[in-house]
Amino acid sequence: MKSTALTRNVSPLLAECELTHLNRSPIDIAKAAEQHQAYEKALETMGYTILRLPDLPDHPDGVFVEDTAFVLPEIAIIARPGAESRRAETDSMASVLEAYRVLHPITSPGTLDGGDVLVLGKTIYIGSSGRTNHHAIQQVAEITRPIGYKVVAVPVTGCLHLKTAVSAIEEDLILMNPEWIDPAIFEGCRSIPVHPSEPFGANVMRKNNTALTPISFPGTAEVLQKLGYDLLTVDQSELAKAEAGLTCCSVIVPHLS
Ligand code: GLY
């Protein structure tokens, strides 16, 4: 299936990003931009077509487009990020996404970051986190119930977003850090733990037989390789200082054929 990956360039103000669980450390902006371009190239290698959203130079976290929306085959939900500094990032996402899907925005008092949303088949797991509240979870449930989805709220502690702790490898197979999220929540799903020394290793991307993993988590990558996936690795060291994972930097839009 053809898919577009929506991305955005790194802001020159990235070093002023929101931080929740990490201490601020200096970020090399030029290196972050280079790493982001390498990430886009890797996505192209995996078969995605890159479509860049308009630059938002005044928005430090603008490169983390995942938090502004999530896309289902039927519709797309426009998020309302939990950090007030990030709310204006959604407009340009909506203006591009409306060409692909009917849009449903999260409205006040709901707050939702796309990084808290993990879709496995017809179940939408949503992290109840510092960024995503129960109003938004309820709104997603109401919007998606008529098209056959079930929403499951997942308590998130110890990390920023649900997808910091868990990502989908297949519709019934997840990679996760069981220290942060209880695997029993994902009923009927097999789960693989991250390498014990790599708590942040769970955020990976998979398309066809290729798994995209950060170079900093070789132990977890090896687990995926042993399962038969071909590995593609990228260095995300600078963006990781801004509390990012691989999925944060794109929104995947599968084409409906
Ligand atoms: N720096 C990523 C975020 O906190 O939203």
Side-chain angles (χ1 to χ4, degrees):
M1 180 189 289
K2 286 193 175 168
S3 299
T4 293
L6 305 178
T7 62
R8 192 189 323 271
N9 283 328
V10 170
S11 160
L13 300 184
L14 175 66
E16 295 168 33
C17 65
E18 295 284 339
L19 285 176
T20 307
H21 293 276
L22 296 185
N23 293 324
R24 201 165 291 280
S25 55
I27 297 180
D28 180 334
I29 302 293
K31 192 168 166 195
E34 241 170 63
Q35 290 179 347
H36 187 53
Q37 280 164 18
Y39 166 80
E40 290 176 325
K41 278 216 158 47
L43 292 185
E44 282 177 337
T45 302
M46 291 170 84
Y48 295 108
T49 301
I50 300 293
L51 176 57
R52 288 211 185 104
L53 300 171
D55 285 358
L56 290 178
D58 297 336
H59 291 264
D61 285 296
V63 63
F64 305 127
V65 293
E66 174 179 59
D67 292 321
T68 62
F70 71 93
V71 177
L72 300 172
E74 302 87 352
I75 59 168
I77 306 269
I78 300 299
R80 185 167 181 270
E84 207 160 341
S85 67
R86 302 201 55 192
R87 299 252 163 94
E89 294 171 26
T90 59
D91 291 348
S92 61
M93 173 58 81
S95 65
V96 171
L97 260 187
E98 69 184 0
Y100 297 91
R101 297 288 192 279
V102 173
L103 305 184
H104 294 262
I106 298 298
T107 55
S108 176
T111 64
L112 177 132
D113 280 12
D116 275 319
V117 180
L118 179 71
V119 182
L120 297 175
K122 289 298 233 182
T123 306
I124 305 173
Y125 295 93
I126 307 184
S128 175
S129 70
R131 298 287 177 86
T132 297
N133 66 19
H134 70 277
H135 299 287
I137 295 173
Q138 184 63 29
Q139 287 177 33
V140 174
E142 281 163 17
I143 293 165
T144 60
R145 191 178 302 119
I147 50 173
Y149 287 87
K150 177 172 102 167
V151 167
V152 177
V154 184
V156 174
T157 50
C159 62
L160 179 58
H161 288 131
L162 175 63
K163 274 195 284 193
T164 317
V166 53
S167 65
I169 306 300
E170 307 286 348
E171 209 170 281
D172 62 351
L173 178 66
I174 53 177
L175 174 67
M176 68 183 306
N177 179 343
E179 299 287 319
W180 285 337
I181 304 282
D182 179 2
I185 289 170
F186 302 89
E187 240 177 73
C189 209
R190 295 167 296 144
S191 76
I192 319 163
V194 291
H195 188 278
S197 67
E198 298 174 357
F200 285 90
N203 188 273
V204 304
M205 297 175 74
R206 195 275 311 162
K207 183 171 169 56
N208 300 326
N209 202 52
T210 302
L212 180 66
T213 67
I215 204 159
S216 43
F217 303 125
T220 302
E222 198 184 323
V223 173
L224 293 171
Q225 195 172 35
K226 283 191 179 142
L227 286 175
Y229 294 100
D230 301 322
L231 293 185
L232 192 58
T233 52
V234 286
D235 186 353
Q236 223 194 9
S237 59
E238 295 307 302
L239 291 164
K241 294 176 191 169
E243 220 163 352
L246 292 179
T247 61
C248 299
C249 295
S250 57
V251 166
I252 302 299
V253 187
H255 295 193
L256 305 170
S257 49

